[in-house]
């Protein structure tokens, strides 16, 4: 379970194994070993990983089944991206940075009434 969750979180941050390894001061081979459940990180590294991805250790270990804040944000960003593609504002292979998606999300939240035509 840990390996699958780690890979999911890494991919959703658009990080390569090497980039995650660099951020955690380990090799890409170490990250690979974790993701395929060949090896496990020690407790201190679990804390570091949980803090890096803003999730709980329970979530990383598979003990917490509810969606985390970051998973919900990722789903919302993906939904926004798909809506932009569907309506022709963005191409399928076009990507927005996290910063750009965050700005769009903030704009939508702050301007819901205007977008609904209530103001």
């Amino acid at each position: 379970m840990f390996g699958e969750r780690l890979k999911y979180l890494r991919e959703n941050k658009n990080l390569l194994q090497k980039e995650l390894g660099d951020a955690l001061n380990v090799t890409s081979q170490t990250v690979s070993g974790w993701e395929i459940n060949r090896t496990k990180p020690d407790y201190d590294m679990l804390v570091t990983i949980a803090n890096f991805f803003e999730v709980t250790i329970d979530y990383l270990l598979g003990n917490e089944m509810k969606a985390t804040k970051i998973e919900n944000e990722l789903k919302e960003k993906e939904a926004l991206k798909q809506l932009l593609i569907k309506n022709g504002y963005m191409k399928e292979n076009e990507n927005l940075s996290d910063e750009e998606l965050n700005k769009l999300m903030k704009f939508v939240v702050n301007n819901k009434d205007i977008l609904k035509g209530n103001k």
Side-chain angles (χ1 to χ4, degrees), residues 1-98:
M1 179 60 72
F2 170 77
E4 292 84 6
R5 295 248 168 125
L6 179 63
K7 184 175 181 180
Y8 171 82
L9 292 167
R10 177 182 60 77
E11 287 178 345
N12 279 293
K13 274 201 170 224
N14 294 316
L15 294 173
L16 300 172
Q17 288 179 337
K18 179 179 181 352
E19 293 170 321
L20 178 58
D22 290 346
L24 300 174
N25 294 316
V26 297
T27 66
S28 60
Q29 292 83 0
T30 298
V31 174
S32 174
W34 293 339
E35 287 186 359
I36 61 173
N37 292 306
R38 185 176 350 115
T39 59
K40 304 279 186 224
D42 64 21
Y43 176 78
D44 290 335
M45 183 54 70
L46 273 176
V47 171
T48 301
I49 294 167
N51 288 336
F52 180 82
F53 287 112
E54 299 177 339
V55 297
T56 65
I57 293 173
D58 271 345
Y59 173 79
L60 286 175
L61 297 177
N63 297 327
E64 187 177 290
M65 297 310 291
K66 68 179 182 175
T68 64
K69 177 183 171 188
I70 196 166
E71 281 181 313
N72 288 333
E73 288 174 2
L74 290 169
K75 287 176 187 174
E76 289 172 355
K77 288 177 183 178
E78 184 59 29
L80 177 59
K81 181 180 173 185
Q82 292 306 314
L83 187 62
L84 292 169
I85 291 168
K86 179 182 174 185
N87 289 294
Y89 296 109
M90 197 173 147
K91 294 180 182 165
E92 185 74 40
N93 60 349
E94 189 177 353
N95 281 318
L96 292 174
S97 69
D98 269 353

